[in-house]
Structures are given as C-alpha cells and as structure tokens.
Amino acid sequence: SQTIHQWPATLVQPVGSPLSLECTVEGTSNPNLYWYRQAAGRGLQLLFYSVGIGQISSEVPQNLSASRPQDRQFILSSKKLLLSDSGFYLCAWSFGGSTDTQYFGPGTRLTVL
Amino acid sequence: DAKTTQPPSMDCAEGRAANLPCNHSTISGNEYVYWYRQIHSQGPQYIIHGLKNNETNEMASLIITEDRKSSTLILPHATLRDTAVYYCIAHSNYNQGGKLIFGQGTELSVKP
C-alpha cells in the first residue's frame, strides 16, 4: 500500500528566515505530487504540482518554490518567509489518469512570527 | 471544475445515518463527484467518488441524481469519529495535474 509522509509536523519560523518542507511517498512509482496551502478558514489552495522529476508547475505566483529531486520526493522552499506564508501545508499524491484521486499527507502547520 | 454548494453545517445522532447533500448544477460530462473529509488539524481524507452510477465502499455510499446536478453522501451509521468537515468536489483530470477545488464544505457534528 502507499504511504505519504510530511515533516516537520509543526514549525515556527521568524520573518525573513528560509523554509524547507519535505514530502515523500512510499509504495508507488512516478506519482503526481501536489503542494496545497490551507490558510485560516477551510479552503485549500493548490500551490504547485509535478508530474515527474524536475517537472514543476506553479499555480499561484508567490514567495515559495518547489522542487522534485527524486521520483517520490517533493520539497517546498522559501528563501525569506513572510507573515502571510503562515498556514497549513499539505502534500498530496495521485496515480494520474482520468480520475486521478488525490491522497493527502498529515500536513505541516507553519507559523511565521 | 464546476462549483459545488453544500450546507455549512449539519448535526447527526450517533448510530444514525448521516445524509450530506451537494448541489453541482453546472457539472460537465467528464467531471467526477468526489467527497473528502477533514478532521480538525489533519489532512483531507478521500472518501468516495463517482461519475454517474451510485457507489458504495467501506466508508460511505454516494448517490448521484440521474441529471447529475446533485448528489448525497451517506454515512450509514455515524460515529463520533465521523465529526469533520465534508467537502464535495466536482473534478476532472482531463488535463494532467488538475487541481482539486475545495469549497467551504459541510461541518458535520455527530452527537451522542
């Protein structure tokens, strides 16, 4: 079976500091990978998605970047965090295809002070 | 992806069936109806999805109207652990990498 991991679970960072969040998937090959952010309230916003190593698509221009150095590893980064980067960051994966059900990780709660 | 409309909140007695409605009147022919739920401070959990036919799995049943303009998620015997926000999403991955558009969902409270 497939498993998705995210770390850290929680993070408190000062404004202007760098960020690196990691997501890994086990039990499948060549998954589609996604980074979402959930700000205050309930809505999830897609930030980046990747259909393969080195292939990253950005949905929203922002202070963040993503990389996929290995098939099942997806990294979310920032050089200098802003207060507005606070939120709940969720990684998801899917097999791809016509239905493309996405499965989410446990999330990272980021607070920028 | 088509927009969906759900009631903001619902209550259900423990052990009873929870019926969560969703309207998706502008759904297109290649869009599936997906249901996810999110328990507080956790990642969304996939529940079920369907295109035209009713679907059932170990978690829930999905009833889609014949015109596909609305659907109902049924939790047959709700427990306290089913308390969560439930999201109905009309989604097509016709273009690979399609994003899920989460609305405000329905906050289901299961009460003893």
Side-chain angles (χ1 to χ4, degrees), chain A residues 32 34 36 38 41-44 46 49 51 59 88 90 95-107 109, chain B residues 8 32 34 36 38 41-44 46 49 85 87 91-94 96-100 102-107:
Chain A
N32 291 347
Y34 308 81
Y36 288 82
Q38 187 172 34
R42 303 167 182 173
L44 274 74
L46 180 66
Y49 67 89
V51 299
E59 283 291 308
F88 191 39
L90 292 152
F95 286 111
S98 61
T99 56
D100 199 34
T101 301
Q102 294 179 28
Y103 300 93
F104 287 81
R109 176 101 30 210
Chain B
Y32 288 74
Y34 281 82
Y36 285 80
Q38 188 173 23
S41 297
Q42 297 182 22
Y46 165 76
H49 74 280
V85 178
Y87 296 98
H91 174 67
S92 169
N93 197 50
Y94 184 79
Q96 200 170 25
K99 60 186 174 184
L100 293 174
F102 286 75
Q104 293 302 302
T106 296
E107 187 162 10

Side-chain angles (χ1 to χ4, degrees), chain A residues 24-43:
Chain A
T24 59
V25 180
E26 296 177 354
T28 187
S29 297
N30 196 32
N32 291 347
L33 296 171
Y34 308 81
W35 277 112
Y36 288 82
R37 178 171 60 200
Q38 187 172 34
R42 303 167 182 173

Side-chain angles (χ1 to χ4, degrees), chain B residues 37-112:
Chain B
R37 72 181 182 184
Q38 188 173 23
I39 297 169
H40 183 62
S41 297
Q42 297 182 22
Q45 178 188 21
Y46 165 76
I47 301 173
I48 198 168
H49 74 280
L51 184 63
K52 296 181 181 179
N53 300 322
N54 298 337
E55 302 288 344
T56 296
N57 62 20
E58 65 279 3
M59 290 183 67
S61 295
L62 173 60
I63 308 299
I64 302 174
T65 58
E66 192 170 344
D67 62 8
R68 300 209 327 121
K69 292 185 177 182
S70 66
S71 61
T72 301
L73 179 74
I74 301 172
L75 307 178
H77 305 287
T79 71
L80 298 179
R81 291 178 297 176
D82 292 322
T83 293
V85 178
Y86 287 77
Y87 296 98
C88 168
I89 303 167
H91 174 67
S92 169
N93 197 50
Y94 184 79
N95 295 316
Q96 200 170 25
K99 60 186 174 184
L100 293 174
I101 298 177
F102 286 75
Q104 293 302 302
T106 296
E107 187 162 10
L108 175 68
S109 296
V110 180
K111 301 181 183 298

